[in-house]
Amino acid sequence: MSQGARKTLVALALLAAVFGGVRAADTELDMDLMQTIEDTNKSLASNIATQNAPGSTSDAKELQALFGKVEAHFVAKGDAPDAVDLSRKSRELSEAIVKSVASKDFGTASDSATTLSRTCRTCHTFYKKS
Amino acid sequence: MSNDQRRAFLRQAGLGLGGAALGGFIPGIGHVSAATAAELLDPLAPKAPQFPAKIKSVIWLHQNGAPSTLDLYDFKPDLQKLAGQPVPASFLKGIKTSTQGGVGKLYASNQRTWKQHGDSGAWFSNLLPNLATQADKLTFIKSSTTVGATHDISILKLNTGDLNPGRPSLGAWINYALGSANPDLPSYVVLYNGDREPSAGSVNWSSGFLPAVYQGTAFRPGDSPILYLERPELRNAVQQRTSLDLLKRLNLIGADRYPHDTELKARLQSYELADRMQAAAPAAVDISKESAATKELYGLNDKTSQSYGEVLLRARRLVEHGVRFVQVVSGFPEGVETDRQSWDAHSELDANHAVMARMVDKPIAGLLHDLKERGLLDSTLVVWTSEFGRTSWGESGTGRDHNPWGYTQWMAGGGLKAGFTYGETDEVGLQVADKDKAVDTYDLHATVLHLMGLDHLKTTFIHNGRSERPTVVYGKVIKEILA
Amino acid sequence: MPTVADFGRAGQKPTNPELLDHLASRFVANGWSVKKLHREILLSATYRQASDERAEVVKVDPENKLLAVYPRKRLEAEVIRDSLLYASGLLVDKVGGPSVFPPVLKVGDVGKSQDFNGNRAWTVSENKEDWHRRSIYVFTRRSFPYPITQNFDPANPNNPHHKRDVTTTPLQALTLFNSEVVFDWSQALAGRVINEAGPSEDAQLSRVYEILFARDPSKAERAALKQFLADQQIAIRQRVASGKFEVAVPQGLKDTKNYDPVRSAAFVDLVHTVANSNSFAYRF
């Protein structure tokens, strides 16, 4: 392999490693989407704990939208009814959190958030590749 | 409370070393920043729980290497029946297996006999004859689950709630939330038997992002748990004190440039604590004066159980002296031939568990009995825990692989329904039977915190602008096992 | 890069991927020379920053992820021991040879457990030179880790490591402050300082700081140290008066003309205390 080609290959490999792994084929769920859900979920937990209403609402609304995408993905896939259920449940929980926060009920919001996190794990048992 | 919040509180409360001290002047030292002044007040000062606590101390018995609870507590007659056959597909639904060489045939040892014990009728195998006598003190959680294929990361999750290092351990959270009940001893101690430090490392008793002062302190097994406890002969007590005072002054002068650095402060604290430990620690860990009957009770007269028994006897004494969290990591008996130096029986389970069970059986039974006799059991929590369980299928013919999908742990002590079992695994003891009753490590943590009077959702620390809690974003108190 | 053990999917993203790329491509261009990479990093403005906290930085980047200040480091286990030996002039800088067994206690015996061949866990080396070799030559026995370094988070020989733990425990304080083995080194360091600085107290104080920290003591530090010397001499005189004549004195003193054992013992305590301070244990 020429020096130039090797350089490019190394640089590409480094880039790939740095940016978190080669993107899988498009029938798989985007890992960055899942990472964003996880990060937003953590931010949500923190915002609820500190009773930050605008922060919690924005996080919960974003989760609602993201889970909508996940749901659509599994609906399109067709062979994953459990995943459809779980992602719908997650979307609904996110919506419930928005409502709880709006009525200043951070206790219920906290419980819903914890249930939401558990839902993530349940789905992962079946549908996470690694 | 974060540093900022604490400073604000102190400023408002007008506390400090003479009114001028807050962010001001300390005689003999000069001007110091507000943070330094605040930290001069004790970060380990006892704090009230959020609601009345049922227990004051935790003895966390980590069974390192993951014992096969299928061979200790979880009696599965169907497993005996189906032994030798491949695992029926229905039992493997929903789990990802990663056993080397593929999933083996179901395995049951022919050396195992099972009996029910006590009024509660709890099942014990022939491997734990002594612990079986304490059946009615135990609260079993037979639907334990977790994540992880390898010991180190699952042990990390068991202790700190995350698969990656960086989070505080349960003991550190409790230390942070409740402070110390005895200013002369570390309030979070790590004990282990065997001839080497726990292989999973000190990240398992780390303070993570909490101030460094809340981490656990490991005591060595054997005769000198605390090396260098005595000051040099040629230095008398007065010299010691003045030297320590100089050290404090020098460190404070230096720390002024780093007001947010808790590690520097923790180091200063550690010297003060070391000084107090010199007086208090020998008495706390000295087991030589225990009665012969007590030593026999804890299994000190049996070579296999001696080292673990000594550790548990120390643990009891530490609890008596007000230590809040004693993390005991099981090792292995010295001078005994074992292939694997832990419970990790991927092969030859019978030989391995014969030794390991004998190592812990009498000591743990002795500890429970002793705590009860001394009236300590109601204010102490003893936890049998492991990073996962073991599979129903055999590995290498005579062992079992790792099983995070369903295994048994137990707790005993104040605030619990004694002689009670929560949850169960499926007929072959592989997965939790009812997923809604699954108890993850977060749920275990939430429950322990609850018994100590802390709501896991409200035990928080602001780190990086974000509120963190011990249970990360999970955690559910298992109300069904509470008395 | 917060998770140096995992650059992949399970790890976290680097804070400055462009910089990482830049360094990586220059590394390759420089013929994969590690030395050149070290040079580049160590000579950069970022690396040469001071570690003093800056309030505005702490607000925005409390974990210093973007390296706006030098991240102060606790010295590693071996470095702590080696630095003390070096400063006190005791370090034997011999290269190579079999591993050594320095003493754990000055008086007393540990490491008694035996293996199946009757070999003890720890038998102290007979050759005293071996006691002061660099820590890298100290025998690593998994069942009996050498406590003086063990308490400062060395790498666990059972596992591969990408990063050292840093713990702060009272056991470390006890090791550095109470261990007679370490106290010996302070006695030697005190002797070296007096030999090199002469009888003047100010010169001696400057020389201690020069050896240990490559700087002069600040006004506040100097005041504290002088106060301590005065107070400590009183304490020691009282001890001597009560019949206990033995005090810890500097080792290896060349000039014994103006020798005052009480003052010298106070100076040993001072040196020992300074060696225990954060300024020594941390690289700022």
Side-chain angles (χ1 to χ4, degrees):
Chain A
M1 193 184 288
S2 76
Q3 271 288 57
R6 185 196 268 132
K7 272 198 202 161
T8 319
L9 198 63
V10 166
L12 269 175
L14 278 166
L15 264 168
V18 155
F19 283 104
V22 178
R23 291 278 175 97
D26 41 303
T27 49
E28 302 298 317
L29 207 50
D30 185 0
M31 280 303 115
D32 274 353
L33 173 67
M34 277 296 149
Q35 189 66 51
T36 310
I37 291 182
E38 181 172 334
D39 292 341
T40 314
N41 190 28
K42 287 205 170 110
S43 169
L44 174 65
S46 172
N47 281 328
I48 293 178
T50 49
Q51 307 211 341
N52 173 349
S56 312
T57 311
S58 118
D59 283 338
K61 283 197 170 145
E62 186 174 343
L63 284 175
Q64 231 183 304
L66 290 168
F67 280 119
K69 284 195 183 152
V70 179
E71 195 183 339
H73 166 88
F74 281 114
V75 165
K77 213 158 182 263
D79 63 351
D82 289 336
V84 174
D85 275 340
L86 289 166
S87 39
R88 175 179 315 129
K89 185 171 172 202
S90 303
R91 185 172 50 77
E92 286 165 358
L93 279 167
S94 309
E95 205 180 318
I97 292 172
V98 175
K99 292 206 179 81
S100 302
V101 170
S103 53
K104 297 259 188 278
D105 184 359
F106 286 99
T108 309
S110 192
D111 288 335
S112 305
T114 311
T115 311
L116 177 60
S117 301
R118 235 201 312 284
T119 315
C120 296
R121 311 199 74 152
T122 313
C123 195
H124 286 173
T125 342
F126 295 92
Y127 292 100
K128 192 168 174 191
K129 281 287 165 186
S130 52
Chain B
M1 250 196 211
S2 73
N3 280 336
D4 290 279
Q5 290 171 311
R6 204 200 329 252
R7 255 179 274 140
F9 166 69
L10 285 169
R11 211 175 295 129
Q12 284 164 10
L15 295 171
L17 309 138
L22 274 179
F25 186 82
I26 293 176
I29 294 181
H31 281 90
V32 289
S33 68
T36 315
E39 291 297 50
L40 288 174
L41 280 91
D42 188 6
L44 285 168
K47 304 181 189 83
Q50 294 156 7
F51 47 87
K54 294 286 196 306
I55 54 168
K56 289 197 275 214
S57 301
V58 179
I59 301 180
W60 181 262
L61 300 175
H62 172 212
Q63 303 304 319
N64 192 18
S68 162
T69 48
L70 288 173
D71 288 276
L72 298 173
Y73 310 112
D74 207 7
F75 177 47
K76 295 282 152 181
D78 280 354
L79 181 59
Q80 320 268 48
K81 257 190 286 176
L82 296 171
Q85 296 177 29
V87 188
S90 55
F91 290 116
L92 293 173
K93 245 174 120 183
I95 61 178
K96 281 183 283 286
T97 66
S98 52
T99 305
Q100 259 190 333
V103 173
K105 305 217 173 37
L106 290 171
Y107 169 71
S109 159
N110 57 12
Q111 293 184 30
R112 209 68 61 239
T113 57
W114 292 87
K115 259 175 44 186
Q116 287 179 284
H117 292 264
D119 293 332
S120 57
W123 286 98
F124 286 84
S125 81
N126 53 329
L127 284 173
L128 296 173
N130 289 289
L131 191 51
T133 64
Q134 308 296 313
D136 290 338
K137 294 196 175 76
L138 306 182
T139 308
F140 286 98
I141 301 171
K142 292 200 167 168
S143 50
S144 303
T145 60
T146 183
V147 163
T150 63
H151 294 282
D152 276 11
I153 60 174
S154 298
I155 292 174
L156 203 51
K157 175 171 178 287
L158 172 63
N159 287 311
T160 71
D162 196 7
L163 299 172
N164 291 307
R167 292 194 71 89
S169 67
L170 181 61
W173 278 108
I174 289 177
N175 205 3
Y176 156 72
L178 297 175
S180 169
N182 182 342
D184 300 339
L185 286 176
S187 75
Y188 174 21
V189 174
V190 179
L191 301 176
Y192 53 93
N193 69 319
D195 61 10
R196 54 200 71 170
E197 275 223 343
S199 53
S202 60
V203 272
N204 287 288
W205 51 88
S206 143
S207 54
F209 46 69
L210 293 175
V213 74
Y214 298 119
Q215 64 191 265
T217 302
F219 282 8
R220 299 163 68 99
D223 279 342
S224 13
I226 309 169
L227 266 188
Y228 313 125
L229 190 58
E230 303 300 311
R231 71 186 131 73
E233 257 210 315
L234 295 179
R235 195 197 299 151
N236 71 7
V238 178
Q239 283 173 276
Q240 181 88 337
R241 189 63 249 165
T242 45
S243 299
L244 281 173
D245 287 340
L246 173 63
L247 184 64
K248 199 171 184 173
R249 286 177 75 180
L250 291 176
N251 280 342
L252 282 174
I253 293 170
D256 216 20
R257 285 156 66 205
Y258 308 91
H260 284 82
D261 196 328
T262 63
E263 195 180 321
L264 295 182
K265 287 173 198 108
R267 193 153 184 277
L268 206 162
Q269 293 279 352
S270 69
Y271 276 83
E272 293 298 319
L273 176 54
D275 191 44
R276 294 197 298 271
M277 271 170 64
Q278 265 188 252
V285 296
D286 180 14
I287 58 175
S288 60
K289 298 203 183 63
E290 295 281 341
S291 71
T294 305
K295 290 183 186 171
E296 167 64 34
L297 183 69
Y298 279 77
L300 265 59
N301 296 327
D302 178 281
K303 234 181 152 257
T304 309
S305 54
Q306 182 189 0
S307 57
Y308 197 70
E310 284 176 354
V311 164
L312 291 196
L313 191 42
R314 288 212 161 111
R316 188 215 84 209
R317 293 182 65 88
L318 287 172
V319 162
E320 281 177 314
H321 283 80
V323 174
R324 286 220 197 273
F325 199 95
V326 183
Q327 188 166 335
V328 181
V329 186
S330 68
F332 63 95
E334 284 176 69
V336 177
E337 277 268 12
T338 46
D339 191 31
R340 282 172 194 278
Q341 272 122 19
S342 70
W343 286 96
D344 193 24
H346 286 276
S347 59
E348 316 214 297
L349 186 140
D350 280 335
N352 173 281
H353 277 35
V355 172
M356 295 302 294
R358 189 173 166 143
M359 181 181 87
V360 309
D361 180 41
K362 208 151 188 237
I364 298 182
L367 174 69
L368 291 169
H369 179 87
D370 202 21
L371 286 171
K372 183 71 194 264
E373 290 296 295
R374 291 170 194 266
L376 289 170
L377 192 56
D378 282 334
S379 57
T380 309
L381 180 69
V382 181
V383 185
W384 164 297
T385 179
S386 55
E387 58 268 34
F388 28 71
R390 301 204 86 85
T391 55
S392 320
W393 63 80
E395 200 186 2
S396 311
T398 54
R400 298 189 192 279
D401 198 7
H402 302 165
N403 175 0
W405 311 292
Y407 57 104
T408 298
Q409 302 181 102
W410 56 254
M411 304 209 276
L416 293 169
K417 285 198 186 111
F420 182 76
T421 297
Y422 176 75
E424 56 180 347
T425 49
D426 57 33
E427 292 87 340
V428 295
L430 183 61
Q431 293 194 56
V432 173
D434 178 0
K435 293 273 169 12
D436 287 331
K437 284 189 154 180
V439 175
D440 204 334
T441 54
Y442 307 104
D443 308 323
L444 187 65
H445 289 182
T447 310
V448 172
L449 289 165
H450 178 89
L451 289 167
M452 293 213 77
L454 299 168
D455 180 350
H456 71 106
L457 294 169
K458 297 209 173 76
T459 306
T460 56
F461 182 82
I462 306 279
H463 166 67
N464 241 357
R466 173 172 287 181
S467 172
E468 295 279 2
R469 68 181 202 234
T471 45
V472 195
V473 291
Y474 312 98
K476 177 177 67 163
V477 176
I478 316 157
K479 298 215 167 60
E480 292 86 336
I481 63 169
L482 301 177
Chain C
M1 183 61 204
T3 52
V4 292
D6 208 323
F7 276 67
R9 189 140 55 93
Q12 291 167 32
K13 300 208 168 120
T15 51
N16 195 337
E18 295 85 1
L19 176 60
L20 196 58
D21 281 346
H22 170 79
L23 287 172
S25 49
R26 281 180 63 80
F27 176 59
V28 174
N30 280 328
W32 299 73
S33 162
V34 177
K35 258 205 154 74
K36 287 197 177 138
L37 180 63
H38 280 164
R39 221 154 194 269
E40 216 172 323
I41 294 177
L42 267 62
L43 291 179
S44 69
T46 311
Y47 191 85
R48 295 159 79 193
Q49 288 174 126
S51 62
D52 291 15
E53 267 186 31
R54 287 155 52 194
E56 73 275 16
V57 168
V58 172
K59 239 199 201 160
V60 171
D61 180 15
E63 286 191 334
N64 195 25
K65 280 191 178 148
L66 299 175
L67 298 176
V69 297
Y70 182 81
R72 64 110 187 91
K73 253 168 77 85
R74 211 275 306 275
L75 293 185
E76 292 180 342
E78 294 88 341
V79 177
I80 290 182
R81 179 173 174 274
D82 290 351
S83 303
L84 281 173
L85 283 172
Y86 179 76
S88 63
L90 290 171
L91 185 72
V92 172
D93 209 1
K94 179 172 134 189
V95 174
S99 297
V100 296
F101 295 81
V104 173
L105 299 173
K106 191 165 170 187
V107 175
D109 199 14
V110 289
K112 290 186 274 201
S113 60
Q114 292 182 8
D115 65 16
F116 292 111
N117 291 326
N119 298 317
R120 284 173 41 127
W122 201 266
T123 307
V124 178
S125 298
E126 281 181 15
N127 183 356
K128 292 221 169 140
E129 209 184 63
D130 285 345
W131 295 6
H132 302 133
R133 297 284 300 285
R134 283 184 58 181
S135 305
I136 200 172
Y137 293 110
V138 173
F139 194 87
T140 306
R141 191 182 287 287
R142 282 186 288 186
S143 62
F144 191 87
Y146 185 54
I148 292 182
T149 41
Q150 179 65 17
N151 285 330
F152 292 90
D153 316 295
N156 183 337
N158 295 309
N159 300 326
H161 281 264
H162 55 274
K163 215 156 119 177
R164 292 266 176 118
D165 286 341
V166 178
T167 61
T168 304
T169 66
L171 296 181
Q172 292 167 355
L174 288 173
T175 306
L176 267 190
F177 207 68
N178 280 356
S179 159
E180 292 185 312
V181 174
V182 178
F183 194 48
D184 266 2
W185 304 342
S186 294
Q187 288 178 269
L189 175 55
R192 176 189 171 190
V193 170
I194 296 177
N195 284 339
E196 292 177 4
S200 146
E201 182 174 282
D202 272 311
Q204 288 169 359
L205 294 178
S206 298
R207 187 69 185 133
V208 169
Y209 267 66
E210 198 177 6
I211 292 175
L212 287 175
F213 311 133
R215 64 172 174 91
D216 261 337
S218 67
K219 251 174 55 185
E221 286 168 335
R222 198 179 278 276
L225 294 168
K226 287 176 100 92
Q227 180 71 47
F228 171 79
L229 277 176
D231 292 339
Q232 195 73 330
Q233 287 182 70
I234 297 174
I236 296 175
R237 254 179 253 283
Q238 282 174 347
R239 176 201 169 101
V240 170
S242 69
K244 297 208 174 68
F245 294 117
E246 282 190 337
V247 289
V249 293
Q251 287 172 13
L253 279 181
K254 294 211 176 95
D255 173 20
T256 47
K257 247 191 304 171
N258 300 311
Y259 184 63
D260 174 4
V262 172
R263 197 201 161 278
S264 304
F267 190 67
V268 167
D269 283 345
L270 180 143
V271 167
H272 189 66
T273 305
V274 172
N276 268 265
S277 69
N278 284 345
S279 302
F280 177 75
Y282 287 87
R283 186 154 66 116
F284 288 102

